[in-house]
Amino acid sequence: MPSDKLPPVAVDRRGTNVDEAVAFYEDVYASQDIHIGKPTADGFTWRYRAVGDDDELTLGTSAVDANRWGTIGQHGTYILAWTTTPGIVLDVDTRDAIAMPPNVPVMYPSGRPFEFNAAPGTQHMIRFDGTFLENVAAAQLGAIPGSLQFRNLPDPEQIERLRQVIRAAAPELLHSGTDRWR
């Protein structure tokens, strides 16, 4: 009997090969323009881990031990990300470049490709399907779904609420045995 219940997405990729990392990240970020430069003193390693339903929400962590730069494409998603160390800048080719402060969630530019530059480090992200997030926002606001706009300077109270929600939900969401609908 067929089931409409799809297994959750669970990705855990890692390696030491730069070309493999570039190909992987170009696929993840819908890009044909990602570059990886000089590795850290300990050598080059990369790791990408994600879990989600591949439709509406995916939680991920990416660690790269080298500078990287290029273009991130957009394919109907919104990405909320935070880094553990300074050194990631989004939209570097515009006057509104976004330097990601450590441990402060930032929304990636949406609806268009954008350039980035990143120092070695770890980044955590929540990837939302665009239609899903737009429908949730419309339902909360009693409005018609449409493109979402996010403020550049985060509200500290809302960031703390977000941290609490992530802290509470992450252990269950990251557990491979959690039911997809949960």
Side-chain angles (χ1 to χ4, degrees), residues 11-15 20-21 23-25 27 46-50 61 63:
V11 176
D12 192 350
R13 296 279 307 273
R14 64 186 86 203
E20 181 183 314
F24 180 81
Y25 283 107
D27 185 49
W46 67 278
R47 179 177 184 191
Y48 181 89
R49 181 171 185 245
T61 296

Side-chain angles (χ1 to χ4, degrees), residues 55-73:
D55 288 330
E56 297 168 347
L57 176 83
T58 303
L59 300 175
T61 296
S62 175
V64 180
D65 291 329
N67 291 319
R68 59 234 184 256
W69 64 94
T71 303
I72 292 179

Side-chain angles (χ1 to χ4, degrees), residues 4-6 53 55-56 178-182:
D4 61 356
K5 182 179 175 186
L6 301 171
D53 61 14
D55 288 330
E56 297 168 347
T178 300
D179 182 70
R180 177 180 191 262
W181 303 112
R182 177 75 175 131

